[in-house]
Amino acid sequence: MIKYDCILLAAGEGQRAALGYNKVLYKIGSKKEIVRYSLEYFINDEQCEKIVLVINERDKYYFENLLKEYESKKIEYTYGGANRGDSVYQGLKLTDGDYVIVHDSARPLVYKEDVYNLLNNATETGGATLATKVYNTTCHMIDGYVDEYFSRHTLASLITPQCFKASTLLKAYHKARVEGINYTDDTGIFKAYGGNVRLVFTDNVSIKATTAYDIKFLEAILDASR
């Protein structure tokens, strides 16, 4: 059984979702906050040894009360940084395991088979990410006009969770910070300084709560699953 630590990112805001507060605190169907779905998955996964919850200091009191409610000794929290990379780096410094899974808590749908496949692939390559195939025609645009087309057969859409050799990812972050380079995804920083990242394709539904439409879509899926 492959053990891992989890960095659960929850320091976002709700600007594009038009909520006026952190979107992961939105209650699906007024019953359970988005963040609880993925948090409960990792709490209940016996392969997960530690959860580092990365939060916004503004939400400190909410998360402190939430963690008291769960009374799980494997959860601790830290404050995020100015961007995603800074937040992951803060979380990485608190991990202890050989492997780390990084996940956006705005994606409440986590599947055991996906986590299992990620771990198995990461032990072979050092890094692995969930991905979905691209089915729509995709183009590069300039000023709102089509510039050139890309073959969808050579494209993949990256989603989380993602899994890495923890020590390699931390070294990659150290190097990137020295050079002052910011990456928007951990696969980018790992590939630049650590090694190859294997794509692990999934057909499972993974919706990220970004817009108001996404949240309504998630509500329909999660309400139906209940």
Side-chain angles (χ1 to χ4, degrees):
M1 181 182 293
I2 305 168
K3 300 289 187 178
Y4 67 91
D5 291 347
C6 173
I7 297 173
L8 190 57
L9 301 172
E13 298 181 0
Q15 293 180 349
R16 282 181 288 180
L19 292 174
Y21 59 89
N22 191 339
K23 60 193 176 187
V24 303
L25 304 185
Y26 178 81
K27 288 187 177 182
I28 296 291
S30 300
K31 294 179 180 179
K32 187 162 74 171
E33 296 89 335
I34 290 172
V35 67
R36 288 182 185 259
Y37 289 89
S38 50
L39 179 61
E40 288 175 359
Y41 173 86
F42 292 110
I43 288 174
N44 294 322
D45 186 358
E46 61 181 4
Q47 292 178 255
C48 180
E49 296 189 299
K50 177 189 280 190
I51 301 167
V52 181
L53 194 60
V54 184
I55 69 171
N56 191 311
E57 188 171 3
R58 175 196 59 205
D59 301 322
K60 172 183 176 180
Y61 297 109
Y62 166 81
F63 280 107
E64 284 183 343
N65 289 328
L66 180 143
L67 298 189
K68 288 177 184 176
E69 179 181 333
Y70 284 109
E71 297 182 345
S72 174
K73 294 181 179 179
K74 70 179 184 181
I75 310 174
E76 56 185 281
Y77 72 85
T78 187
Y79 298 131
N83 53 53
R84 179 194 174 85
D86 287 341
S87 294
V88 173
Y89 180 66
Q90 295 305 318
L92 267 174
K93 292 190 292 184
L94 296 178
T95 60
D96 306 308
D98 290 336
Y99 292 92
V100 60
I101 280 182
V102 181
H103 184 59
D104 298 315
S105 67
R107 293 187 184 273
L109 303 172
V110 184
Y111 305 88
K112 188 173 183 62
E113 63 267 30
D114 288 339
V115 172
Y116 179 84
N117 288 336
L118 279 174
L119 286 165
N120 280 319
N121 280 276
T123 57
E124 294 180 7
T125 63
T129 179
L130 279 190
T132 59
K133 294 181 179 180
V134 174
Y135 296 103
N136 294 322
T137 299
T138 305
C139 73
H140 178 262
M141 68 176 184
I142 297 178
D143 297 328
Y145 291 89
V146 171
D147 177 37
E148 62 178 310
Y149 292 96
F150 297 102
S151 170
R152 61 179 178 269
H153 303 296
T154 64
L155 299 175
S157 179
L158 306 188
I159 58 179
T160 67
Q162 299 171 340
C163 185
F164 306 94
K165 180 75 174 176
S167 59
T168 307
L169 184 60
L170 184 58
K171 288 176 184 177
Y173 264 100
H174 285 320
K175 292 177 182 178
R177 291 171 74 85
V178 168
E179 296 183 10
I181 301 175
N182 179 47
Y183 290 82
T184 58
D185 187 89
D186 297 300
T187 59
I189 196 168
F190 192 88
K191 189 175 187 304
Y193 299 100
N196 289 326
V197 180
R198 181 173 289 172
L199 298 173
V200 178
F201 286 98
T202 180
D203 291 324
N204 288 321
V205 176
S206 178
I207 307 297
K208 185 176 182 181
T210 302
T211 66
Y213 174 81
D214 297 327
I215 291 175
K216 294 299 181 185
F217 193 14
L218 277 169
E219 283 187 312
I221 293 172
L222 292 169
D223 284 345
S225 68
R226 284 199 290 266

